[in-house]
Amino acid sequence: MSGPEMLLHCFGLRVTNLDVDERVVTVHVESTALGANCPFCGSTAARIHSQHPRTVTDQPIHSRRTVLRLTARRFFCDRPDCPRVLFWKRFPDLVRPHARATRALASNAGMISSRTTALHFASASFIHLFAWLRLE
């Protein structure tokens, strides 16, 4: 397993498509997980209700804006005593719920806005996945 595949595997994601133009790199990713844990009761759900593309911005790659098109799945919680009937699969190491930027980009934006001189590139960034690409 190569470096990019190993990092994707850690997040439980796989790349389905990669679009590159002059200004934007769009990475289409989807979950490889067969199920998800209900955020309310913690039980594992495997029954998929639907899926929806979610757009998240990540750190630039070779001066190009990076957009992740994450296909998120909505699951049924089949536990009878759980009040949550439906929930979305979450990726807490990559992006917070309802956020529009990855944790790595949000972290770096916070560091830049606080005038920190040292830049920190978090390992959770997709920039590490595609550093091997030569985008000219």
Side-chain angles (χ1 to χ4, degrees), residues 31 33-34 48 50-52 71-75 87-89:
S31 175
L34 300 176
I48 298 171
S50 58
Q51 57 186 22
H52 181 74
T71 300
R73 294 181 184 157
R74 196 169 191 192
F75 288 89
F87 65 93
W88 291 99
K89 163 79 172 133

Side-chain angles (χ1 to χ4, degrees), residues 29-63:
V29 294
E30 65 182 18
S31 175
T32 59
L34 300 176
N37 292 335
C38 174
F40 193 82
C41 70
S43 67
T44 302
R47 211 162 46 110
I48 298 171
H49 175 270
S50 58
Q51 57 186 22
H52 181 74
R54 181 176 176 191
T55 302
V56 182
T57 303
D58 197 12
Q59 295 182 41
I61 297 175
H62 293 282
S63 301

Side-chain angles (χ1 to χ4, degrees), residues 1 11 13-14 16 18-19 22 31 34 41-42 45 59-60 68 75-76 86 90 95 99 102 105 108 114 120 123 125:
M1 192 178 289
F11 286 119
L13 300 170
R14 74 169 168 232
T16 58
L18 178 67
D19 299 322
E22 293 177 4
S31 175
L34 300 176
C41 70
Q59 295 182 41
L68 304 179
F75 288 89
F76 289 100
L86 297 170
R90 295 185 180 183
V95 62
T102 62
L105 181 62
N108 286 340
S114 67
H120 169 73
S123 62
S125 172

Side-chain angles (χ1 to χ4, degrees), residues 61-120:
I61 297 175
H62 293 282
S63 301
R64 289 181 172 97
R65 182 172 171 243
T66 304
V67 176
L68 304 179
R69 293 287 292 172
L70 176 64
T71 300
R73 294 181 184 157
R74 196 169 191 192
F75 288 89
F76 289 100
C77 182
D78 291 325
R79 191 167 167 181
D81 58 337
C82 182
R84 177 66 60 84
V85 177
L86 297 170
F87 65 93
W88 291 99
K89 163 79 172 133
R90 295 185 180 183
F91 302 95
D93 294 334
L94 179 63
V95 62
R96 291 184 177 163
H98 311 290
R100 295 185 183 188
T102 62
R103 286 181 176 269
L105 181 62
S107 171
N108 286 340
M111 291 178 79
I112 291 168
S113 68
S114 67
R115 297 176 188 248
T116 302
T117 57
L119 289 177
H120 169 73

